[in-house]
Amino acid sequence: MKRLKSGIILFLILFLFWILLAGTDRNELIAGALIAVFISLIFAPGLSKVGCIKINPKSLLFIFLYILVFLKELVKSTLDVAKRVVSRDLPINPGIVKVKTTLKCPIGRTILANSITLTPGTMTVETRGEYFYIHWIDIKGNNIQEATESIVSTFEKYLEVIFE
């Protein structure tokens, strides 16, 4: 209850300050209310989490960074698969590998599994608790640690900051 009270007080202060600066035009009031809610969710003590998603400036930055890293990995893996397809000897070593995730949040695990599936050359086949089973176009290791480092760790270090 104390957390909610501090969030409401912060919202009211921000919204009243907005009204003093911008006036009482309907569009200005709507914009001010939305901005005040957004800032209150980020900076009110104790209101920095929705479910298992962290809402703070650092996690918002990491969401942006995660998108950039995902796009980089997407382009990199697309070029790798394209190179394998046009190669004469088709250098693939397909198989299913077991990888381990440290993410506890179901939403974070779902985003990780989908990110793996969306990058060409890998596809999440099954999830069981902290383990994912990934179909990989070119297996580069024969133990869980090596596969986890190659597939999961790139995405996971960003998702750990965003999700609890």
Side-chain angles (χ1 to χ4, degrees), residues 17-19 23-24 41 58 62 79 97 137 155 160 162:
F17 187 69
W18 180 273
I19 291 171
T24 57
L41 285 173
K58 184 178 180 182
F62 272 69
L79 293 174
V97 294
I137 196 170
F155 299 128
E160 287 174 339
I162 300 166

Side-chain angles (χ1 to χ4, degrees), residues 73-74 76-82 84-85 92-97 115-125 134-140 151:
E73 291 297 318
L74 180 67
K76 201 166 79 172
S77 62
T78 300
L79 293 174
D80 179 61
V81 170
R84 291 175 194 283
V85 168
I92 63 172
N93 181 24
I96 295 179
V97 294
S115 298
I116 291 168
T117 297
L118 287 172
T119 53
T122 56
M123 183 171 73
T124 306
V125 178
I134 311 291
H135 182 273
W136 196 5
I137 196 170
D138 189 28
I139 297 176
K140 295 180 181 142
I151 299 173

Side-chain angles (χ1 to χ4, degrees), residues 3 41 46-55 104-108 162-164:
R3 295 184 310 190
L41 285 173
L47 288 180
S48 62
K49 204 169 69 161
V50 176
C52 59
I53 303 170
K54 299 175 191 171
I55 301 176
K104 304 292 182 226
C105 177
I107 298 170
I162 300 166
F163 300 99
E164 188 142 293

